Amino acid sequence: MGQRSRAEDLVVVVPGILGSTLADADGHEVWGASGKALVRGIRTFGGSVKGLTLPAGLGDEHPGDGVRPTGLMSDVHALPGVWKPVDGYTALLNWLEGNFTLQRRLPGEAADVPANLVGFAYDWRLSCRYNAERLAERVDEELGRWRASRPDRRDAKVVFLCHSMGGLVTRSYVEQCGGAEVTRRVVTLGTPYRGSLDALVYLVNGMRYGIGPVGLDLTPFARSLPSLHQLTPDYACLAAGGGSGLRYAREVTGLPGVDEELLRQAGLFHADLRASEAGARYGVEYVPVGGVRQPTPTTAEVEGETLRALLTIDGVDEGGDGRVPDLSSRAAGAGRHAYTPWEKHGSLQNNKAVRQALYNWLTPEPPVHRGSEDEDVPLSVEAPEILVEGRRTRSGPRCLRMCGGTTGSRSSRGWRAVRCGL
């Protein structure tokens, strides 16, 4: 392994929706990639997942059902015949630890052992506001411990590496939970800053996987989630017919499967984020990465009680990462993307080119060894004061060229003895 790049800050990885494992009050894994969870999901036809359905009117609260997050999803999780394996976060965490001076807290180590690489698991069923508050608690604890572990770390800040909805949770923490003061940078991979049409299609058309005996209908579960409503488009995306142009989903009444109150609260959530100036006031840098050139549902037509997804908006196919449209993955106020890999949404965290770009985003500015970059560096030559006739030195002809040939002349026998004028 080569030399690891220096990382002085606390780095927090925040996964997307479905990206954290969940356990019930008895400690049994109810959402995860372990063999037991997979077998249970197949045997009960998704009963363990359906049991995670939330009560109506929850808002930004926890249901009190004892479900808790236990860790980040590993690299391959699937139900055979139901949905395909997708990328998790194990490889990303291993890569970060192997290529930067980052260290996770090892299994079995005491909770007060300082670490500067943290994976933040959260209950992705719940609202982004709720999880932003949990993130604030975790950052206060981990950053305080890291700063106190050594005198030269007392000015450390936080750099977030977020995937998908994890970027919305983190932005809510920075802008609304006091996180701006301690945050240096927020790198987001495929974060739907303005929502994703996929989320709205799941709510209206239903969420069903697989066929036959291994088919799962998770529609009631999906429709109960505040988080999924907060992922719906925060831009005009629905064509209701009649040539009236595009409308916001919250303006279209009677959409089946949509909880109108959750949709209204989602609109307020995004409006509050747009109105906040906390990040700008403290100089927080948002670094949005968005996948491109993948067929991506962007708008939809209302056809009876279903939606027909379209790849275009105003007749233009702008693409995206397959789930998040190009127009949505740009952070408000951050201009264009910092990077646009040809990659699908679920694999952005493991894209090779993205990882190469992370070197610039996770390490501090390199030291300047030749003075300020704004100052002119004078041309200079190191040469002995006396050049002996007949003796060539390393700086001989090079010195003459740099001095314009005015400090001496060459004879047939070699260099004359002259005093360098530098």
Side-chain angles (χ1 to χ4, degrees):
M1 182 182 297
Q3 183 178 3
R4 297 192 298 169
S5 295
R6 183 167 52 100
E8 300 172 341
D9 291 322
L10 174 71
V11 174
V12 179
V13 177
V14 187
I17 191 169
L18 308 180
S20 301
T21 56
L22 303 177
D24 61 20
D26 297 324
H28 298 131
E29 192 175 72
V30 292
W31 176 260
S34 72
K36 290 183 179 179
L38 289 174
V39 171
R40 186 183 303 115
I42 295 172
R43 186 176 62 245
T44 62
F45 299 99
S48 59
V49 177
K50 293 178 183 178
L52 298 174
T53 301
L54 298 174
L58 185 63
D60 294 324
E61 303 301 321
H62 192 282
D65 56 3
V67 174
R68 58 184 178 82
T70 55
L72 271 58
M73 193 69 80
S74 58
D75 285 322
V76 179
H77 57 285
L79 291 180
V82 180
W83 58 72
K84 297 179 181 179
V86 298
D87 292 4
Y89 301 95
T90 307
L92 174 64
L93 291 168
N94 290 340
W95 180 84
L96 289 169
E97 200 169 40
N99 288 274
F100 299 87
T101 55
L102 297 170
Q103 179 64 55
R104 283 173 283 180
R105 191 172 295 108
L106 299 176
E109 283 190 318
D112 59 353
V113 173
N116 63 337
L117 177 59
V118 174
F120 174 68
Y122 61 94
D123 189 339
W124 41 263
R125 303 175 303 161
L126 309 179
S127 77
C128 293
R129 291 184 192 273
Y130 174 87
N131 284 309
E133 293 173 355
R134 305 290 78 73
L135 179 58
E137 295 169 353
R138 183 71 183 276
V139 169
D140 286 349
E141 176 186 344
E142 296 287 358
L143 182 61
R145 184 180 296 121
W146 180 248
R147 284 177 167 178
S149 64
R150 225 168 58 188
D152 60 344
R153 295 170 178 166
R154 63 180 180 271
D155 294 325
K157 288 192 172 185
V158 189
V159 175
F160 290 98
L161 179 54
C162 315
H163 183 222
S164 193
M165 191 178 76
L168 293 181
V169 172
T170 301
R171 189 175 178 93
S172 182
Y173 158 72
V174 171
E175 302 293 344
Q176 299 175 317
C177 298
E181 190 172 356
V182 298
T183 300
R184 188 181 308 281
R185 185 174 295 114
V186 180
V187 181
T188 60
L189 311 179
T191 287
Y193 288 99
R194 300 180 65 188
S196 166
L197 188 76
D198 265 4
L200 186 62
V201 171
Y202 281 136
L203 290 173
V204 176
N205 294 358
M207 180 181 287
R208 301 173 183 86
Y209 293 99
I211 57 175
V214 291
L216 295 180
D217 184 2
L218 303 179
T219 301
F221 163 68
R223 289 174 173 174
S224 75
L225 305 183
S227 58
L228 192 60
H229 285 78
Q230 289 174 338
L231 290 177
T232 57
D234 188 50
Y235 61 91
C237 65
L238 291 183
S244 58
L246 296 174
R247 302 172 65 188
Y248 286 84
R250 57 180 175 268
E251 298 174 343
V252 179
T253 59
L255 282 176
V258 175
D259 186 313
E260 293 186 359
E261 176 58 20
L262 286 179
L263 200 61
R264 185 188 70 83
Q265 292 179 13
L268 294 176
F269 167 74
H270 285 281
D272 288 345
L273 286 183
R274 287 195 304 273
S276 175
E277 297 180 354
R281 186 163 60 250
Y282 284 97
V284 176
E285 180 185 7
Y286 286 95
V287 184
V289 175
V292 295
R293 295 185 177 272
Q294 310 295 327
T296 306
T298 305
T299 59
E301 290 183 348
V302 180
E303 296 184 340
E305 295 189 347
T306 62
L307 297 180
R308 183 170 69 90
L310 304 174
L311 301 180
T312 59
I313 183 167
D314 292 332
V316 179
D317 185 353
E318 296 182 347
D321 64 16
R323 288 195 178 274
V324 178
D326 179 77
L327 65 89
S328 182
S329 58
R330 308 174 193 174
R336 294 183 60 82
H337 294 99
Y339 198 75
T340 51
W342 292 18
E343 185 61 87
K344 291 188 175 181
H345 182 78
S347 300
L348 284 167
Q349 69 272 33
N350 289 326
N351 179 273
K352 182 178 180 180
V354 169
R355 289 185 176 181
Q356 292 171 342
L358 285 174
Y359 278 102
N360 294 325
W361 302 329
L362 296 184
T363 54
E365 291 294 327
V368 177
H369 298 288
R370 299 182 68 186
S372 171
E373 294 180 350
D374 297 329
E375 298 177 358
D376 292 332
V377 179
L379 182 65
S380 60
V381 177
E382 181 181 356
E385 291 189 0
I386 299 296
L387 301 178
V388 180
E389 182 177 358
R391 180 182 177 186
R392 294 182 62 123
T393 69
R394 291 183 180 180
S395 57
R398 185 177 296 126
C399 181
L400 286 179
R401 283 198 298 271
M402 290 184 174
C403 295
T406 60
T407 60
S409 59
R410 184 177 183 178
S411 69
S412 59
R413 293 179 295 172
W415 296 97
R416 289 187 177 181
V418 294
R419 182 175 296 276
C420 183
L422 292 181

